[in-house]
Amino acid sequence: MEKRILAVDIGGSKMLAGVILLTENEEKNRLEQKKYPDFEILKTAGECLPVEISETGILEKIWKLTDDVLKEYPLETIDSVGVTIPGLANDRVWIYAPFSGIQNFPIVEALERRFRKPIFIENDVNACAIAEGIFGACRNVNDFIWLTISNGIGGGIILDGKIYRGSLGFSGEFGHLNVVENGELCGCGNRGCLEAECAGPGISRFYARLTGERIPAADIAKRAQEGEENALKTFEREGKVLGHALANASNILNPAKIIIGGGVARAWKFFAPAMEREFQKNIFQRANVNIKIEPTALGYEAALLGAAALTLPTGQ
Ligand SMILES: [Zn+2]
């Protein structure tokens, strides 16, 4: 099997388009006893997105970036199209978005008119979880949690090899687990949510409390690398709060693995030891033996690979 997929990752602050080649290796599948394709990212193009954008604005960006990657790999050679959506979507409609200008947007219709190919859409964090299960560290893992930690925190839950959506489609909102009583104000209106405390802006706020200096989380990671004490303390606290929250989640879901992606995962070595300690301290040990918490095996392109994975029968 060989398939060329046009993949689009609409993130909360950036958009990435790419052409991805999926190939099936029968010998490897036989050995792994499951049907997993290999991937190769042939070409990508990306741009930042403004906070306010209309439906037309989003479509114009998609056309621009896909035109760019299709120059080298023309549409006639593409088998299907996968798109990840920030916010909530069903299989035809983008229902809710973090952008102010988009609500109940029938995006699949517009994509079908443009590309005349089978179109698959999915929430971006769920797509990352699906990609990790097909291409990454969760092949042959049926029950796992995916967490994206960047400017916000989103989660995806795979149970029995399938995305668990919940009654209204909003499952896996780990970002709004309450972790600090009367803590930082969260975008959801509550205080002390994991997202408010542990996503990028929360990391900046904590560091500012220690030092009086407000800098982005990525810069704090650089200072941690240089051994600066307050930067190391900030990530130690990050790990502690995260570990506690993940233990609570594990006590409910009993996953085999927890995978962490997003920009903050790049500071792994600074927060992972404290996270692991706090996690072990708070899980019901006998019920949760050997749960592994790992950074994503898919790196920066996890969501783009997620968009490609949606087009596979195992990705739906
Ligand atoms: Zn919240």
Side-chain angles (χ1 to χ4, degrees):
M1 187 276 292
E2 206 179 276
K3 270 181 162 183
R4 260 189 210 173
I5 311 298
L6 179 61
V8 180
D9 163 28
I10 309 174
S13 58
K14 59 166 179 42
M15 188 188 289
L16 201 60
V19 176
I20 294 169
L21 179 70
L22 300 179
T23 47
E24 201 88 70
N25 179 329
E26 279 173 23
E27 176 62 15
K28 202 170 158 200
N29 288 343
R30 198 180 55 77
L31 289 172
E32 290 185 8
Q33 295 185 337
K34 246 185 177 181
K35 278 199 149 231
Y36 291 121
D38 285 315
F39 67 87
E40 188 186 342
I41 299 174
L42 298 174
K43 175 108 189 151
T44 60
E47 263 183 33
C48 288
L49 289 176
V51 184
E52 280 185 42
I53 191 161
S54 63
E55 296 176 2
T56 326
I58 281 280
L59 290 178
E60 278 168 3
K61 274 269 194 256
I62 296 177
W63 306 158
K64 180 168 178 257
L65 292 176
T66 52
D67 276 354
D68 204 357
V69 296
L70 290 170
K71 254 182 241 155
E72 217 170 301
Y73 301 95
L75 194 56
E76 306 86 79
T77 69
I78 299 290
D79 291 284
S80 45
V81 182
V83 181
T84 69
I85 304 287
L88 184 64
N90 63 27
D91 57 357
R92 303 285 307 173
V93 177
W94 182 350
I95 298 164
Y96 161 83
F99 310 110
S100 51
I102 294 173
Q103 218 178 356
N104 294 322
F105 172 26
I107 187 170
V108 171
E109 212 176 289
L111 294 165
E112 279 171 345
R113 269 201 307 273
R114 174 84 174 192
F115 298 118
R116 304 192 177 281
K117 305 275 175 190
I119 311 284
F120 302 87
I121 65 170
E122 175 65 87
N123 164 272
D124 53 354
V125 182
N126 284 350
C128 286
I130 291 168
E132 200 73 44
I134 293 178
F135 304 121
C138 290
R139 288 181 165 194
N140 294 323
V141 178
N142 278 332
D143 302 280
F144 64 93
I145 295 169
W146 165 284
L147 217 59
T148 299
I149 312 180
S150 54
N151 276 332
I153 293 185
I157 302 170
I158 304 275
L159 295 180
D160 249 339
K162 291 259 169 223
I163 281 281
Y164 173 72
R165 295 179 191 281
S167 62
L168 300 174
F170 283 112
S171 70
E173 289 288 350
F174 295 98
H176 303 285
L177 283 172
N178 185 276
V179 291
V180 177
E181 203 180 350
N182 282 323
E184 298 286 349
L185 183 64
C186 179
C188 74
N190 293 342
R191 280 193 176 274
C193 292
L194 186 65
E195 175 166 295
E197 301 287 338
C198 286
I203 294 173
S204 296
R205 272 195 296 270
F206 187 80
Y207 183 76
R209 250 189 276 154
L210 296 179
T211 62
E213 194 184 357
R214 184 80 186 252
I215 57 170
D219 293 343
I220 301 170
K222 275 183 210 148
R223 292 188 180 183
Q225 182 66 44
E226 290 157 8
E228 196 209 88
E229 201 183 326
N230 285 322
L232 290 167
K233 252 191 213 163
T234 301
F235 281 107
E236 163 102 21
R237 189 262 185 178
E238 170 81 5
K240 238 180 133 177
V241 177
L242 258 180
H244 196 123
L246 292 178
N248 284 339
S250 293
N251 284 336
I252 298 169
L253 295 169
N254 193 220
K257 281 192 179 188
I258 298 169
I259 304 293
I260 301 181
V264 172
R266 288 184 210 158
W268 187 261
K269 65 175 175 184
F270 303 120
F271 68 80
M275 175 177 72
E276 190 63 40
R277 267 200 312 277
E278 197 67 16
F279 181 76
Q280 291 303 336
K281 212 167 88 187
N282 289 287
I283 48 167
F284 174 23
Q285 293 283 351
R286 295 180 78 174
N288 291 283
V289 180
N290 242 348
I291 297 179
K292 293 199 167 53
I293 313 178
E294 295 174 7
T296 173
L298 302 175
Y300 184 72
E301 269 100 13
L304 192 68
L305 290 170
L310 301 177
T311 67
L312 295 164
T314 42
Q316 288 154 35

Short mmCIF file of all heavy atoms in Angstrom, two decimals, residues 18-44:
data_model
loop_
_atom_site.label_atom_id
_atom_site.label_comp_id
_atom_site.label_asym_id
_atom_site.label_seq_id
_atom_site.Cartn_x
_atom_site.Cartn_y
_atom_site.Cartn_z
N GLY A 18 0.97 19.87 4.78
CA GLY A 18 2.04 18.98 4.34
C GLY A 18 1.52 17.89 3.43
O GLY A 18 0.32 17.61 3.38
N VAL A 19 2.44 17.28 2.69
CA VAL A 19 2.12 16.08 1.93
C VAL A 19 2.86 14.93 2.62
O VAL A 19 4.06 15.01 2.87
CB VAL A 19 2.56 16.20 0.46
CG1 VAL A 19 2.31 14.89 -0.29
CG2 VAL A 19 1.82 17.34 -0.22
N ILE A 20 2.10 13.90 2.98
CA ILE A 20 2.67 12.79 3.74
C ILE A 20 2.45 11.48 2.98
O ILE A 20 1.36 11.20 2.51
CB ILE A 20 2.04 12.73 5.15
CG1 ILE A 20 2.48 13.99 5.91
CG2 ILE A 20 2.48 11.48 5.90
CD1 ILE A 20 1.78 14.24 7.19
N LEU A 21 3.53 10.73 2.86
CA LEU A 21 3.47 9.45 2.17
C LEU A 21 3.30 8.35 3.22
O LEU A 21 4.09 8.26 4.16
CB LEU A 21 4.77 9.24 1.38
CG LEU A 21 4.88 7.91 0.63
CD1 LEU A 21 3.93 7.87 -0.55
CD2 LEU A 21 6.32 7.70 0.15
N LEU A 22 2.26 7.54 3.07
CA LEU A 22 2.05 6.41 3.98
C LEU A 22 2.31 5.12 3.22
O LEU A 22 1.75 4.90 2.15
CB LEU A 22 0.62 6.42 4.51
CG LEU A 22 0.18 7.66 5.29
CD1 LEU A 22 -1.27 7.53 5.73
CD2 LEU A 22 1.07 7.90 6.49
N THR A 23 3.17 4.27 3.75
CA THR A 23 3.46 2.99 3.09
C THR A 23 3.28 1.85 4.08
O THR A 23 3.59 1.98 5.26
CB THR A 23 4.91 2.93 2.55
OG1 THR A 23 5.78 3.40 3.57
CG2 THR A 23 5.09 3.77 1.31
N GLU A 24 2.78 0.75 3.57
CA GLU A 24 2.52 -0.42 4.41
C GLU A 24 3.61 -1.45 4.14
O GLU A 24 3.86 -1.80 2.99
CB GLU A 24 1.16 -1.00 4.02
CG GLU A 24 0.54 -1.86 5.06
CD GLU A 24 -0.30 -1.06 6.05
OE1 GLU A 24 -1.36 -0.57 5.68
OE2 GLU A 24 0.15 -0.94 7.20
N ASN A 25 4.26 -1.89 5.21
CA ASN A 25 5.30 -2.91 5.07
C ASN A 25 4.75 -4.23 5.63
O ASN A 25 4.59 -4.40 6.83
CB ASN A 25 6.55 -2.47 5.84
CG ASN A 25 7.67 -3.47 5.76
OD1 ASN A 25 7.45 -4.68 5.67
ND2 ASN A 25 8.90 -2.97 5.81
N GLU A 26 4.46 -5.17 4.73
CA GLU A 26 3.76 -6.39 5.15
C GLU A 26 4.57 -7.23 6.13
O GLU A 26 4.04 -7.79 7.08
CB GLU A 26 3.37 -7.22 3.93
CG GLU A 26 2.10 -6.68 3.30
CD GLU A 26 1.76 -7.36 1.99
OE1 GLU A 26 2.20 -8.50 1.78
OE2 GLU A 26 1.06 -6.72 1.18
N GLU A 27 5.89 -7.32 5.87
CA GLU A 27 6.76 -8.11 6.74
C GLU A 27 6.74 -7.54 8.17
O GLU A 27 6.58 -8.27 9.15
CB GLU A 27 8.19 -8.11 6.16
CG GLU A 27 9.24 -8.82 7.00
CD GLU A 27 8.97 -10.31 7.20
OE1 GLU A 27 8.13 -10.87 6.47
OE2 GLU A 27 9.58 -10.89 8.12
N LYS A 28 6.88 -6.21 8.24
CA LYS A 28 6.88 -5.53 9.54
C LYS A 28 5.53 -5.72 10.25
O LYS A 28 5.47 -5.98 11.45
CB LYS A 28 7.15 -4.04 9.31
CG LYS A 28 7.69 -3.34 10.52
CD LYS A 28 8.15 -1.96 10.12
CE LYS A 28 8.17 -1.08 11.34
NZ LYS A 28 8.15 0.33 11.02
N ASN A 29 4.46 -5.61 9.49
CA ASN A 29 3.14 -5.80 10.08
C ASN A 29 2.98 -7.19 10.66
O ASN A 29 2.38 -7.38 11.71
CB ASN A 29 2.04 -5.57 9.03
CG ASN A 29 1.92 -4.10 8.69
OD1 ASN A 29 2.40 -3.26 9.43
ND2 ASN A 29 1.30 -3.82 7.57
N ARG A 30 3.53 -8.16 9.93
CA ARG A 30 3.42 -9.55 10.38
C ARG A 30 4.14 -9.71 11.73
O ARG A 30 3.62 -10.30 12.66
CB ARG A 30 4.03 -10.48 9.33
CG ARG A 30 3.60 -11.95 9.46
CD ARG A 30 4.24 -12.79 8.37
NE ARG A 30 5.69 -12.67 8.33
CZ ARG A 30 6.53 -13.26 9.19
NH1 ARG A 30 6.06 -14.01 10.14
NH2 ARG A 30 7.84 -13.09 9.08
N LEU A 31 5.33 -9.10 11.81
CA LEU A 31 6.12 -9.18 13.04
C LEU A 31 5.43 -8.46 14.19
O LEU A 31 5.39 -8.95 15.31
CB LEU A 31 7.52 -8.57 12.82
CG LEU A 31 8.45 -9.39 11.92
CD1 LEU A 31 9.72 -8.61 11.63
CD2 LEU A 31 8.80 -10.74 12.58
N GLU A 32 4.85 -7.30 13.92
CA GLU A 32 4.20 -6.52 14.98
C GLU A 32 2.76 -6.97 15.22
O GLU A 32 2.09 -6.50 16.13
CB GLU A 32 4.23 -5.03 14.63
CG GLU A 32 5.62 -4.44 14.70
CD GLU A 32 5.63 -2.93 14.48
OE1 GLU A 32 4.55 -2.32 14.42
OE2 GLU A 32 6.74 -2.38 14.36
N GLN A 33 2.30 -7.86 14.37
CA GLN A 33 0.94 -8.41 14.46
C GLN A 33 -0.14 -7.33 14.47
O GLN A 33 -1.17 -7.46 15.10
CB GLN A 33 0.81 -9.28 15.71
CG GLN A 33 1.70 -10.51 15.64
CD GLN A 33 1.47 -11.43 16.81
OE1 GLN A 33 1.00 -11.02 17.85
NE2 GLN A 33 1.79 -12.70 16.62
N LYS A 34 0.14 -6.24 13.80
CA LYS A 34 -0.87 -5.21 13.65
C LYS A 34 -0.60 -4.47 12.36
O LYS A 34 0.53 -4.44 11.88
CB LYS A 34 -0.83 -4.24 14.84
CG LYS A 34 -2.08 -4.33 15.67
CD LYS A 34 -2.07 -3.29 16.76
CE LYS A 34 -3.38 -3.33 17.54
NZ LYS A 34 -3.43 -2.34 18.59
N LYS A 35 -1.61 -3.84 11.81
CA LYS A 35 -1.40 -3.15 10.53
C LYS A 35 -1.05 -1.69 10.76
O LYS A 35 -1.90 -0.86 10.98
CB LYS A 35 -2.68 -3.26 9.68
CG LYS A 35 -2.79 -4.57 8.95
CD LYS A 35 -3.75 -4.49 7.81
CE LYS A 35 -3.31 -5.44 6.71
NZ LYS A 35 -3.22 -4.90 5.42
N TYR A 36 0.24 -1.40 10.76
CA TYR A 36 0.67 -0.02 10.92
C TYR A 36 1.46 0.43 9.70
O TYR A 36 2.43 -0.22 9.33
CB TYR A 36 1.56 0.13 12.14
CG TYR A 36 0.85 -0.05 13.44
CD1 TYR A 36 1.23 -1.05 14.32
CD2 TYR A 36 -0.21 0.77 13.77
CE1 TYR A 36 0.57 -1.21 15.53
CE2 TYR A 36 -0.87 0.61 14.97
CZ TYR A 36 -0.48 -0.38 15.85
OH TYR A 36 -1.13 -0.54 17.02
N PRO A 37 1.10 1.54 9.12
CA PRO A 37 1.89 2.04 8.00
C PRO A 37 3.10 2.84 8.50
O PRO A 37 3.12 3.27 9.65
CB PRO A 37 0.91 2.96 7.28
CG PRO A 37 -0.02 3.42 8.33
CD PRO A 37 -0.08 2.36 9.39
N ASP A 38 4.07 3.03 7.65
CA ASP A 38 5.17 3.95 7.93
C ASP A 38 4.84 5.27 7.27
O ASP A 38 4.06 5.32 6.32
CB ASP A 38 6.48 3.39 7.37
CG ASP A 38 6.98 2.27 8.26
OD1 ASP A 38 6.97 2.44 9.48
OD2 ASP A 38 7.37 1.22 7.71
N PHE A 39 5.47 6.33 7.75
CA PHE A 39 5.18 7.63 7.15
C PHE A 39 6.46 8.33 6.72
O PHE A 39 7.54 8.08 7.27
CB PHE A 39 4.43 8.52 8.13
CG PHE A 39 5.25 8.93 9.32
CD1 PHE A 39 6.07 10.06 9.27
CD2 PHE A 39 5.22 8.19 10.50
CE1 PHE A 39 6.84 10.43 10.36
CE2 PHE A 39 5.99 8.57 11.60
CZ PHE A 39 6.80 9.68 11.52
N GLU A 40 6.30 9.17 5.74
CA GLU A 40 7.39 10.06 5.36
C GLU A 40 6.78 11.42 5.06
O GLU A 40 5.83 11.51 4.28
CB GLU A 40 8.10 9.51 4.11
CG GLU A 40 9.36 10.26 3.77
CD GLU A 40 9.96 9.79 2.44
OE1 GLU A 40 9.61 8.68 1.97
OE2 GLU A 40 10.74 10.55 1.87
N ILE A 41 7.29 12.46 5.72
CA ILE A 41 6.78 13.80 5.46
C ILE A 41 7.54 14.33 4.24
O ILE A 41 8.75 14.54 4.29
CB ILE A 41 6.99 14.72 6.68
CG1 ILE A 41 6.21 14.15 7.87
CG2 ILE A 41 6.52 16.14 6.37
CD1 ILE A 41 6.44 14.88 9.19
N LEU A 42 6.83 14.49 3.12
CA LEU A 42 7.50 14.86 1.87
C LEU A 42 7.73 16.37 1.79
O LEU A 42 8.73 16.82 1.24
CB LEU A 42 6.65 14.41 0.67
CG LEU A 42 6.42 12.90 0.55
CD1 LEU A 42 5.45 12.60 -0.59
CD2 LEU A 42 7.73 12.14 0.35
N LYS A 43 6.78 17.13 2.35
CA LYS A 43 6.88 18.58 2.18
C LYS A 43 5.98 19.26 3.20
O LYS A 43 4.89 18.76 3.48
CB LYS A 43 6.40 18.91 0.75
CG LYS A 43 6.32 20.36 0.41
CD LYS A 43 7.42 20.75 -0.54
CE LYS A 43 7.46 22.24 -0.70
NZ LYS A 43 8.78 22.73 -1.01
N THR A 44 6.41 20.37 3.77
CA THR A 44 5.52 21.13 4.67
C THR A 44 5.62 22.64 4.38
O THR A 44 6.61 23.11 3.82
CB THR A 44 5.87 20.95 6.17
OG1 THR A 44 7.21 21.39 6.38
CG2 THR A 44 5.72 19.53 6.63
#
